[in-house]
Coordinates of all heavy atoms in Angstrom, one line a residue:
M1 N -21.8 -4.6 -4.7 CA -20.6 -3.8 -5.0 C -19.4 -4.1 -4.2 O -19.3 -3.8 -3.0 CB -21.0 -2.3 -4.9 CG -22.1 -1.9 -5.8 SD -22.5 -0.1 -5.6 CE -21.0 0.7 -6.1
K2 N -18.5 -4.7 -4.9 CA -17.3 -5.3 -4.2 C -16.5 -4.2 -3.5 O -16.1 -4.3 -2.4 CB -16.4 -6.0 -5.2 CG -15.6 -7.2 -4.6 CD -14.8 -7.9 -5.6 CE -15.6 -8.9 -6.3 NZ -14.8 -9.7 -7.3
R3 N -16.3 -3.1 -4.2 CA -15.4 -2.0 -3.7 C -16.1 -1.4 -2.4 O -15.4 -1.1 -1.5 CB -15.2 -1.0 -4.7 CG -14.3 0.2 -4.3 CD -14.3 1.3 -5.2 NE -13.6 1.0 -6.5 CZ -13.5 1.9 -7.5 NH1 -14.0 3.1 -7.3 NH2 -12.8 1.5 -8.5
F4 N -17.4 -1.3 -2.4 CA -18.0 -0.7 -1.3 C -17.9 -1.6 -0.1 O -17.6 -1.1 1.0 CB -19.5 -0.5 -1.6 CG -20.3 0.1 -0.5 CD1 -20.0 1.4 -0.1 CD2 -21.3 -0.6 0.1 CE1 -20.7 2.0 0.9 CE2 -22.0 0.0 1.1 CZ -21.8 1.3 1.5
A5 N -18.0 -2.9 -0.3 CA -17.8 -3.8 0.9 C -16.4 -3.8 1.4 O -16.2 -3.8 2.6 CB -18.2 -5.2 0.4
A6 N -15.4 -3.7 0.5 CA -14.1 -3.7 1.0 C -13.8 -2.4 1.8 O -13.1 -2.4 2.8 CB -13.1 -3.8 -0.2
S7 N -14.4 -1.4 1.3 CA -14.2 -0.1 2.0 C -14.8 -0.2 3.4 O -14.2 0.3 4.4 CB -14.9 1.0 1.2 OG -14.7 2.3 1.9
L8 N -15.9 -0.8 3.6 CA -16.5 -0.9 4.9 C -15.6 -1.8 5.8 O -15.4 -1.4 7.0 CB -17.9 -1.6 4.8 CG -19.0 -0.7 4.3 CD1 -20.3 -1.5 4.2 CD2 -19.2 0.5 5.2
L9 N -15.1 -2.8 5.3 CA -14.2 -3.7 6.0 C -13.0 -3.0 6.5 O -12.7 -3.0 7.7 CB -13.8 -4.9 5.2 CG -12.9 -5.9 5.8 CD1 -13.5 -6.5 7.1 CD2 -12.4 -7.0 4.9
L10 N -12.4 -2.2 5.6 CA -11.2 -1.5 6.0 C -11.5 -0.4 7.1 O -10.7 -0.2 8.0 CB -10.5 -0.8 4.8 CG -9.9 -1.8 3.8 CD1 -9.5 -1.2 2.5 CD2 -8.6 -2.4 4.4
S11 N -12.6 0.2 6.9 CA -13.0 1.2 7.9 C -13.1 0.6 9.3 O -12.7 1.1 10.3 CB -14.3 1.9 7.5 OG -14.2 2.6 6.3
G12 N -13.7 -0.6 9.3 CA -13.8 -1.3 10.6 C -12.5 -1.7 11.2 O -12.3 -1.5 12.4
L13 N -11.6 -2.1 10.4 CA -10.3 -2.5 10.9 C -9.5 -1.3 11.4 O -8.7 -1.4 12.3 CB -9.4 -3.2 9.8 CG -9.9 -4.5 9.4 CD1 -9.1 -5.0 8.2 CD2 -9.8 -5.5 10.5
A14 N -9.7 -0.1 10.8 CA -9.0 1.1 11.2 C -9.7 1.8 12.3 O -9.2 2.9 12.7 CB -8.8 2.0 10.0
G15 N -10.7 1.2 12.8 CA -11.5 2.0 13.8 C -11.0 2.1 15.2 O -11.8 2.6 16.0
C16 N -9.8 1.6 15.5 CA -9.4 1.7 16.9 C -8.6 2.9 17.2 O -7.9 3.0 18.2 CB -8.6 0.4 17.2 SG -7.2 0.1 16.1
G17 N -8.5 3.9 16.2 CA -7.8 5.1 16.4 C -8.6 6.1 17.4 O -9.4 5.7 18.1
S18 N -8.2 7.4 17.3 CA -8.8 8.3 18.2 C -10.3 8.6 17.8 O -11.2 8.0 18.4 CB -8.0 9.6 18.1 OG -7.8 10.0 16.8
A19 N -10.5 9.5 16.8 CA -11.8 9.8 16.4 C -12.3 8.9 15.3 O -11.6 8.6 14.4 CB -11.9 11.2 16.0
P20 N -13.5 8.4 15.4 CA -14.0 7.5 14.4 C -14.2 8.3 13.1 O -14.7 9.4 13.1 CB -15.4 7.0 14.9 CG -15.7 8.0 16.0 CD -14.5 8.5 16.5
E21 N -13.8 7.7 12.0 CA -13.9 8.4 10.7 C -15.4 8.4 10.3 O -16.1 7.3 10.4 CB -13.1 7.7 9.6 CG -11.6 7.9 9.8 CD -11.2 9.3 9.5 OE1 -11.9 10.0 8.8 OE2 -10.1 9.7 10.0
P22 N -15.9 9.5 9.8 CA -17.3 9.5 9.3 C -17.4 8.7 8.0 O -16.4 8.5 7.3 CB -17.5 11.0 9.0 CG -16.2 11.6 8.8 CD -15.2 10.8 9.7
E23 N -18.5 8.2 7.7 CA -18.7 7.3 6.6 C -18.4 8.1 5.3 O -18.2 7.4 4.2 CB -20.1 6.8 6.5 CG -20.3 5.6 7.5 CD -21.7 5.1 7.3 OE1 -22.7 5.7 7.7 OE2 -21.9 3.9 6.8
T24 N -18.3 9.4 5.3 CA -18.1 10.1 4.1 C -16.7 10.2 3.7 O -16.3 10.6 2.6 CB -18.6 11.6 4.3 OG1 -18.0 12.1 5.5 CG2 -20.1 11.7 4.5
S25 N -15.7 9.7 4.6 CA -14.3 9.7 4.2 C -14.1 8.8 3.0 O -14.7 7.7 2.9 CB -13.4 9.3 5.4 OG -13.7 8.0 5.7
R26 N -13.2 9.2 2.1 CA -13.0 8.4 0.9 C -11.8 7.6 1.1 O -10.7 8.1 1.0 CB -12.8 9.4 -0.3 CG -14.1 10.1 -0.7 CD -13.8 11.3 -1.5 NE -15.0 11.9 -2.0 CZ -15.5 11.7 -3.2 NH1 -14.8 10.9 -4.1 NH2 -16.6 12.2 -3.6
E27 N -12.0 6.3 1.2 CA -10.9 5.4 1.4 C -10.9 4.4 0.2 O -11.9 3.8 -0.1 CB -11.0 4.6 2.7 CG -9.8 3.7 3.0 CD -9.9 3.1 4.3 OE1 -9.7 3.8 5.3 OE2 -10.2 1.9 4.4
T28 N -9.7 4.3 -0.5 CA -9.6 3.4 -1.6 C -8.4 2.6 -1.4 O -7.5 3.0 -0.7 CB -9.6 4.1 -2.9 OG1 -8.5 5.1 -2.9 CG2 -10.9 4.8 -3.2
V29 N -8.3 1.5 -2.1 CA -7.1 0.6 -2.1 C -6.6 0.4 -3.5 O -7.4 0.1 -4.4 CB -7.4 -0.7 -1.4 CG1 -6.2 -1.7 -1.6 CG2 -7.7 -0.6 0.0
H30 N -5.3 0.6 -3.7 CA -4.7 0.4 -5.1 C -3.7 -0.7 -5.0 O -3.0 -0.8 -3.9 CB -4.1 1.7 -5.6 CG -5.0 2.8 -5.8 ND1 -5.8 2.9 -6.9 CD2 -5.4 3.8 -5.0 CE1 -6.6 4.0 -6.8 NE2 -6.3 4.6 -5.6
V31 N -3.6 -1.5 -6.0 CA -2.6 -2.5 -6.1 C -1.5 -2.1 -7.0 O -1.7 -1.7 -8.1 CB -3.3 -3.8 -6.6 CG1 -2.2 -5.0 -6.7 CG2 -4.4 -4.3 -5.6
G32 N -0.2 -2.3 -6.5 CA 0.9 -1.9 -7.3 C 2.0 -3.0 -7.3 O 1.9 -4.0 -6.6
A33 N 2.9 -2.8 -8.2 CA 4.1 -3.7 -8.3 C 5.3 -2.9 -8.6 O 5.3 -1.9 -9.3 CB 3.8 -4.8 -9.4
G34 N 6.4 -3.4 -8.1 CA 7.7 -2.7 -8.4 C 8.9 -3.4 -7.7 O 8.8 -4.6 -7.3
T35 N 10.0 -2.7 -7.6 CA 11.2 -3.2 -7.1 C 11.6 -2.4 -5.8 O 11.6 -1.2 -5.9 CB 12.3 -3.1 -8.1 OG1 11.9 -3.8 -9.3 CG2 13.6 -3.8 -7.6
V36 N 12.0 -3.1 -4.8 CA 12.4 -2.5 -3.6 C 13.8 -1.8 -3.8 O 14.7 -2.4 -4.3 CB 12.5 -3.5 -2.4 CG1 13.2 -2.8 -1.2 CG2 11.2 -4.0 -2.1
V37 N 13.8 -0.5 -3.6 CA 15.1 0.3 -3.7 C 15.8 0.4 -2.4 O 17.0 0.4 -2.3 CB 14.8 1.6 -4.4 CG1 16.1 2.5 -4.5 CG2 14.2 1.5 -5.8
D38 N 15.0 0.6 -1.4 CA 15.6 0.8 0.0 C 14.6 0.6 1.0 O 13.4 0.7 0.8 CB 16.2 2.2 0.1 CG 17.3 2.3 1.2 OD1 17.6 1.3 1.8 OD2 17.8 3.4 1.4
V39 N 15.0 0.2 2.2 CA 14.1 0.0 3.3 C 14.8 0.8 4.5 O 15.9 0.4 4.9 CB 13.9 -1.4 3.8 CG1 13.0 -1.5 5.0 CG2 13.3 -2.3 2.6
V40 N 14.2 1.9 4.9 CA 14.8 2.7 5.9 C 13.8 3.4 6.8 O 12.8 3.9 6.4 CB 15.7 3.8 5.2 CG1 15.0 4.7 4.4 CG2 16.5 4.5 6.3
E41 N 14.1 3.3 8.1 CA 13.3 4.1 9.1 C 11.8 3.8 9.0 O 11.0 4.8 8.9 CB 13.6 5.6 9.0 CG 15.0 5.9 9.5 CD 15.3 7.4 9.4 OE1 14.5 8.1 9.0 OE2 16.5 7.7 9.8
G42 N 11.4 2.6 8.9 CA 10.0 2.2 8.8 C 9.3 2.5 7.5 O 8.1 2.5 7.5
R43 N 10.0 2.9 6.5 CA 9.5 3.1 5.2 C 10.2 2.3 4.2 O 11.3 1.9 4.4 CB 9.6 4.6 4.8 CG 8.9 5.5 5.9 CD 9.1 7.0 5.5 NE 8.4 7.3 4.2 CZ 7.1 7.7 4.2 NH1 6.4 7.7 5.3 NH2 6.5 8.0 3.1
V44 N 9.5 2.1 3.0 CA 10.1 1.4 2.0 C 10.1 2.2 0.7 O 9.1 2.8 0.3 CB 9.4 0.0 1.7 CG1 7.9 0.2 1.5 CG2 10.0 -0.8 0.6
L45 N 11.2 2.3 0.1 CA 11.4 3.0 -1.2 C 11.2 2.0 -2.3 O 11.9 1.0 -2.4 CB 12.7 3.7 -1.3 CG 13.0 4.6 -2.4 CD1 12.1 5.9 -2.4 CD2 14.5 5.1 -2.4
I46 N 10.2 2.3 -3.2 CA 9.9 1.4 -4.3 C 9.9 2.1 -5.6 O 9.4 3.2 -5.8 CB 8.4 0.8 -4.1 CG1 8.3 0.1 -2.7 CG2 8.1 -0.2 -5.2 CD1 6.9 -0.4 -2.4
D47 N 10.6 1.4 -6.6 CA 10.5 1.8 -8.0 C 9.3 1.1 -8.5 O 9.4 -0.1 -8.9 CB 11.8 1.4 -8.7 CG 11.8 1.8 -10.1 OD1 10.8 2.4 -10.6 OD2 12.8 1.4 -10.8
H48 N 8.2 1.8 -8.6 CA 6.9 1.0 -8.9 C 6.5 1.4 -10.3 O 6.7 2.4 -10.9 CB 5.9 1.3 -7.9 CG 5.3 2.7 -7.9 ND1 4.4 3.2 -8.8 CD2 5.4 3.8 -7.0 CE1 4.1 4.4 -8.6 NE2 4.7 4.8 -7.5
D49 N 5.7 0.4 -10.9 CA 5.1 0.6 -12.2 C 3.9 1.5 -12.0 O 3.5 1.9 -10.9 CB 4.6 -0.8 -12.6 CG 5.7 -1.8 -12.8 OD1 6.8 -1.4 -13.0 OD2 5.3 -3.0 -12.8
A50 N 3.4 1.9 -13.1 CA 2.2 2.8 -13.1 C 1.1 2.0 -12.4 O 0.9 0.8 -12.5 CB 1.8 3.1 -14.5
I51 N 0.3 2.8 -11.6 CA -0.8 2.2 -10.9 C -2.1 2.9 -11.4 O -2.3 4.1 -11.1 CB -0.7 2.5 -9.4 CG1 0.6 1.9 -8.8 CG2 -1.9 1.9 -8.6 CD1 0.9 2.2 -7.3
P52 N -2.8 2.2 -12.3 CA -3.9 2.9 -13.0 C -4.9 3.6 -12.1 O -5.3 3.0 -11.1 CB -4.6 1.7 -13.8 CG -3.5 0.7 -13.9 CD -2.6 0.8 -12.7
G53 N -5.2 4.8 -12.4 CA -6.1 5.6 -11.6 C -5.5 6.2 -10.3 O -6.2 6.8 -9.5
F54 N -4.2 5.9 -10.1 CA -3.6 6.4 -8.9 C -2.4 7.3 -9.1 O -2.3 8.4 -8.8 CB -3.3 5.2 -8.0 CG -2.7 5.6 -6.6 CD1 -3.2 6.7 -5.9 CD2 -1.7 4.8 -6.0 CE1 -2.7 7.0 -4.6 CE2 -1.2 5.2 -4.8 CZ -1.7 6.2 -4.1
M55 N -1.4 6.6 -9.8 CA -0.2 7.4 -10.1 C 0.6 6.7 -11.2 O 0.5 5.6 -11.4 CB 0.7 7.7 -8.8 CG 1.2 6.4 -8.2 SD 2.3 6.7 -6.8 CE 1.2 7.3 -5.6
D56 N 1.5 7.5 -11.8 CA 2.4 7.0 -12.8 C 3.5 6.2 -12.2 O 3.7 6.2 -11.0 CB 3.0 8.2 -13.7 CG 1.9 8.9 -14.4 OD1 0.9 8.3 -14.8 OD2 2.1 10.1 -14.7
A57 N 4.3 5.6 -13.1 CA 5.5 4.9 -12.6 C 6.5 5.9 -12.0 O 6.7 7.0 -12.6 CB 6.1 4.1 -13.8
M58 N 7.1 5.5 -10.9 CA 8.0 6.4 -10.3 C 8.7 5.7 -9.1 O 8.3 4.6 -8.8 CB 7.3 7.6 -9.7 CG 6.4 7.3 -8.5 SD 5.5 8.7 -7.9 CE 4.2 8.9 -9.1
T59 N 9.8 6.3 -8.6 CA 10.4 5.8 -7.4 C 10.0 6.7 -6.2 O 10.1 7.9 -6.3 CB 11.9 5.8 -7.5 OG1 12.3 5.0 -8.7 CG2 12.6 5.2 -6.3
M60 N 9.4 6.0 -5.2 CA 8.9 6.8 -4.1 C 8.9 6.0 -2.8 O 9.0 4.8 -2.8 CB 7.5 7.3 -4.4 CG 6.5 6.2 -4.5 SD 4.8 6.8 -4.9 CE 4.4 7.5 -3.3
S61 N 8.8 6.8 -1.7 CA 8.8 6.2 -0.4 C 7.4 6.0 0.1 O 6.6 6.9 0.0 CB 9.6 7.1 0.5 OG 9.5 6.6 1.9
F62 N 7.1 4.8 0.7 CA 5.8 4.5 1.3 C 6.0 4.3 2.8 O 6.9 3.6 3.2 CB 5.2 3.3 0.6 CG 4.8 3.4 -0.8 CD1 5.6 3.1 -1.8 CD2 3.5 3.9 -1.1 CE1 5.2 3.2 -3.1 CE2 3.1 4.0 -2.4 CZ 4.0 3.7 -3.4
G63 N 5.1 4.8 3.5 CA 4.9 4.3 4.9 C 4.2 3.0 4.9 O 3.5 2.6 3.9
V64 N 4.3 2.3 6.0 CA 3.6 1.0 6.1 C 2.7 1.0 7.3 O 3.0 1.6 8.3 CB 4.6 -0.2 6.2 CG1 5.3 -0.4 4.9 CG2 5.5 0.0 7.3
E65 N 1.6 0.2 7.2 CA 0.6 0.2 8.3 C 1.2 -0.5 9.5 O 0.9 -0.1 10.6 CB -0.6 -0.5 7.8 CG -1.9 -0.2 8.5 CD -3.1 -0.7 7.7 OE1 -3.2 -1.9 7.3 OE2 -4.0 0.1 7.5
D66 N 2.0 -1.5 9.3 CA 2.6 -2.2 10.4 C 4.1 -2.4 10.0 O 4.4 -3.0 9.0 CB 1.9 -3.6 10.5 CG 2.5 -4.4 11.6 OD1 3.5 -4.1 12.2 OD2 1.8 -5.5 11.9
P67 N 5.0 -2.0 10.9 CA 6.5 -2.1 10.6 C 6.9 -3.6 10.3 O 7.9 -3.8 9.6 CB 7.1 -1.7 12.0 CG 6.1 -0.8 12.6 CD 4.8 -1.3 12.2
A68 N 6.1 -4.5 10.8 CA 6.4 -6.0 10.5 C 6.3 -6.3 9.1 O 6.9 -7.3 8.6 CB 5.4 -6.9 11.3
L69 N 5.6 -5.5 8.3 CA 5.5 -5.7 6.9 C 6.9 -5.6 6.2 O 7.1 -6.1 5.1 CB 4.6 -4.7 6.2 CG 3.1 -4.8 6.6 CD1 2.3 -3.6 6.0 CD2 2.5 -6.1 6.1
L70 N 7.8 -4.8 6.8 CA 9.1 -4.6 6.2 C 10.1 -5.8 6.4 O 11.1 -5.8 5.8 CB 9.7 -3.3 6.8 CG 8.9 -2.1 6.5 CD1 9.5 -0.9 7.2 CD2 8.8 -1.8 5.0
Q71 N 9.7 -6.7 7.3 CA 10.6 -7.8 7.6 C 10.7 -8.7 6.4 O 9.7 -9.0 5.8 CB 10.1 -8.6 8.8 CG 10.2 -7.8 10.1 CD 9.6 -8.6 11.3 OE1 9.2 -9.7 11.2 NE2 9.5 -7.9 12.4
G72 N 11.9 -9.0 6.0 CA 12.1 -9.9 4.9 C 12.2 -9.2 3.6 O 12.6 -9.9 2.6
L73 N 12.0 -7.9 3.6 CA 12.1 -7.2 2.3 C 13.6 -6.9 2.1 O 14.3 -6.5 3.0 CB 11.4 -5.9 2.3 CG 9.8 -6.0 2.3 CD1 9.2 -4.6 2.2 CD2 9.3 -6.8 1.2
E74 N 14.1 -7.1 0.9 CA 15.5 -6.8 0.5 C 15.5 -5.9 -0.7 O 14.7 -6.0 -1.6 CB 16.2 -8.2 0.3 CG 16.3 -9.1 1.5 CD 16.8 -10.5 1.1 OE1 17.3 -10.6 0.0 OE2 16.7 -11.4 1.9
V75 N 16.6 -5.2 -0.7 CA 16.8 -4.3 -1.9 C 16.9 -5.2 -3.2 O 17.6 -6.2 -3.2 CB 18.1 -3.5 -1.7 CG1 18.5 -2.7 -3.0 CG2 18.0 -2.5 -0.5
G76 N 16.2 -4.8 -4.2 CA 16.3 -5.5 -5.5 C 15.1 -6.5 -5.6 O 14.9 -7.1 -6.7
M77 N 14.4 -6.7 -4.5 CA 13.3 -7.7 -4.5 C 12.1 -7.1 -5.3 O 11.7 -6.0 -5.1 CB 12.9 -8.0 -3.1 CG 11.9 -9.1 -2.8 SD 11.7 -9.3 -1.0 CE 13.0 -10.5 -0.7
E78 N 11.5 -7.9 -6.2 CA 10.3 -7.5 -6.9 C 9.1 -7.9 -6.0 O 9.0 -9.0 -5.5 CB 10.2 -8.2 -8.2 CG 11.3 -7.8 -9.2 CD 11.2 -8.5 -10.5 OE1 10.2 -9.0 -10.9 OE2 12.3 -8.6 -11.2
V79 N 8.3 -6.9 -5.8 CA 7.2 -7.0 -4.9 C 5.8 -6.6 -5.5 O 5.8 -5.8 -6.5 CB 7.4 -6.2 -3.6 CG1 8.6 -6.7 -2.8 CG2 7.6 -4.7 -4.0
S80 N 4.8 -7.1 -4.9 CA 3.4 -6.6 -5.2 C 2.9 -6.0 -3.8 O 3.2 -6.6 -2.8 CB 2.5 -7.7 -5.6 OG 3.0 -8.3 -6.9
F81 N 2.2 -5.0 -3.9 CA 1.7 -4.3 -2.7 C 0.4 -3.7 -2.8 O -0.1 -3.5 -3.9 CB 2.7 -3.3 -2.2 CG 3.0 -2.2 -3.3 CD1 2.3 -1.0 -3.2 CD2 4.0 -2.4 -4.2 CE1 2.6 0.0 -4.2 CE2 4.3 -1.4 -5.2 CZ 3.5 -0.2 -5.1
R82 N -0.3 -3.5 -1.7 CA -1.6 -2.8 -1.7 C -1.4 -1.5 -0.9 O -0.8 -1.5 0.2 CB -2.6 -3.7 -1.0 CG -3.0 -4.9 -1.8 CD -3.8 -5.9 -1.0 NE -5.0 -5.3 -0.5 CZ -6.1 -5.3 -1.1 NH1 -6.2 -5.9 -2.3 NH2 -7.2 -4.8 -0.6
V83 N -1.9 -0.4 -1.5 CA -1.8 0.9 -0.9 C -3.2 1.4 -0.5 O -4.1 1.4 -1.3 CB -1.2 2.0 -1.8 CG1 -0.9 3.3 -1.1 CG2 0.1 1.5 -2.5
K84 N -3.3 1.7 0.8 CA -4.6 2.2 1.2 C -4.5 3.7 1.2 O -3.6 4.3 1.8 CB -4.9 1.7 2.6 CG -6.3 2.1 3.2 CD -6.6 1.3 4.4 CE -5.8 1.7 5.6 NZ -6.2 0.9 6.8
V85 N -5.5 4.3 0.6 CA -5.5 5.8 0.4 C -6.7 6.3 1.2 O -7.9 5.9 0.9 CB -5.6 6.2 -1.1 CG1 -5.6 7.7 -1.2 CG2 -4.5 5.5 -1.8
L86 N -6.4 7.2 2.1 CA -7.5 7.9 2.8 C -7.3 9.4 2.7 O -6.3 9.9 3.2 CB -7.5 7.4 4.3 CG -8.6 8.0 5.2 CD1 -10.0 7.7 4.6 CD2 -8.5 7.5 6.6
D87 N -8.2 10.0 2.0 CA -8.1 11.5 1.8 C -6.7 11.7 1.1 O -6.4 11.0 0.1 CB -8.2 12.3 3.0 CG -9.6 12.1 3.6 OD1 -10.6 12.0 2.9 OD2 -9.7 12.1 4.9
A88 N -5.8 12.5 1.6 CA -4.6 12.8 0.9 C -3.4 11.8 1.4 O -2.3 11.9 0.9 CB -4.1 14.2 1.1
A89 N -3.7 11.0 2.4 CA -2.7 10.2 3.0 C -2.8 8.8 2.4 O -3.9 8.3 2.1 CB -2.8 10.1 4.5
F90 N -1.6 8.1 2.3 CA -1.7 6.7 1.9 C -0.6 5.9 2.6 O 0.4 6.4 3.1 CB -1.5 6.6 0.4 CG -0.3 7.3 -0.1 CD1 0.9 6.6 -0.2 CD2 -0.3 8.6 -0.6 CE1 2.1 7.3 -0.7 CE2 0.8 9.2 -1.1 CZ 2.0 8.6 -1.1
V91 N -0.9 4.6 2.7 CA 0.0 3.7 3.5 C -0.1 2.3 2.9 O -1.2 1.9 2.4 CB -0.4 3.7 5.0 CG1 -1.7 3.1 5.2 CG2 0.7 3.0 5.8
I92 N 1.0 1.6 2.9 CA 1.0 0.3 2.4 C 0.4 -0.7 3.5 O 0.8 -0.6 4.6 CB 2.4 -0.2 2.1 CG1 2.9 0.4 0.7 CG2 2.5 -1.7 2.0 CD1 4.2 0.0 0.3
E93 N -0.6 -1.4 3.1 CA -1.3 -2.3 4.0 C -0.8 -3.7 3.9 O -1.0 -4.6 4.8 CB -2.8 -2.2 3.9 CG -3.3 -2.6 2.6 CD -4.8 -2.8 2.6 OE1 -5.5 -2.3 3.6 OE2 -5.4 -3.4 1.7
S94 N -0.2 -4.1 2.7 CA 0.4 -5.4 2.5 C 1.4 -5.3 1.4 O 1.3 -4.5 0.5 CB -0.7 -6.4 2.2 OG -1.2 -6.2 0.9
I95 N 2.4 -6.1 1.5 CA 3.5 -6.2 0.5 C 4.1 -7.5 0.5 O 4.4 -8.1 1.6 CB 4.5 -5.0 0.8 CG1 5.6 -5.0 -0.3 CG2 5.1 -5.1 2.2 CD1 6.5 -3.8 -0.3
E96 N 4.3 -8.1 -0.6 CA 4.8 -9.5 -0.7 C 5.8 -9.6 -1.9 O 5.5 -9.0 -2.9 CB 3.7 -10.5 -0.8 CG 2.8 -10.6 0.4 CD 1.7 -11.6 0.2 OE1 1.7 -12.2 -0.9 OE2 0.9 -11.7 1.1
P97 N 6.8 -10.4 -1.7 CA 7.7 -10.7 -2.9 C 6.9 -11.4 -4.0 O 6.0 -12.2 -3.7 CB 8.8 -11.6 -2.3 CG 8.6 -11.5 -0.8 CD 7.2 -11.1 -0.5
N98 N 7.2 -11.1 -5.2 CA 6.6 -11.8 -6.3 C 7.3 -13.2 -6.4 O 8.5 -13.4 -6.1 CB 6.8 -11.1 -7.6 CG 6.1 -9.8 -7.7 OD1 5.1 -9.6 -6.9 ND2 6.4 -8.9 -8.5
E99 N 6.5 -14.1 -6.9 CA 7.0 -15.5 -7.2 C 7.9 -15.3 -8.4 O 7.6 -14.7 -9.4 CB 5.9 -16.5 -7.5 CG 5.0 -16.7 -6.4 CD 5.6 -17.5 -5.3 OE1 6.6 -18.2 -5.6 OE2 5.2 -17.5 -4.1
R100 N 9.1 -15.9 -8.4 CA 10.0 -15.8 -9.5 C 10.0 -17.2 -10.2 O 10.2 -18.2 -9.6 CB 11.4 -15.5 -9.1 CG 11.7 -14.0 -8.8 CD 13.1 -13.9 -8.3 NE 13.4 -12.5 -7.8 CZ 13.9 -11.6 -8.6 NH1 14.1 -11.9 -9.9 NH2 14.2 -10.4 -8.2
S101 N 9.9 -17.1 -11.5 CA 10.0 -18.3 -12.3 C 11.5 -18.7 -12.4 O 12.3 -17.8 -12.7 CB 9.3 -18.2 -13.6 OG 9.7 -17.0 -14.3
P102 N 11.8 -19.9 -12.3 CA 13.2 -20.3 -12.4 C 13.9 -20.0 -13.7 O 13.2 -19.9 -14.7 CB 13.2 -21.8 -12.1 CG 11.8 -22.2 -12.2 CD 10.9 -21.0 -12.1
Ligands
CU1 CU1 4.3 6.7 -6.8

């Protein structure tokens, strides 16, 4: 089960915080795509397409797991990103500009 294995891996990577998360916590990862609207105060505002099983298309602000992820992002840039969801909280764990065809 691919999803189960990925969940275990992510739990391991996130394990350096305060209290260890019990195995019962529900952590999932969703992949989205959209356009960068703004980058401000460690967050990125994205006009994103619908993310099946997660949320409809909308413009919203995301926190990022590492502030370095915001480097190189520019307003108007089309991006693909991965959102890690743990219980009610979510954070972008990776974000990259899309390749543009000439
Ligand atoms: Cu959204």
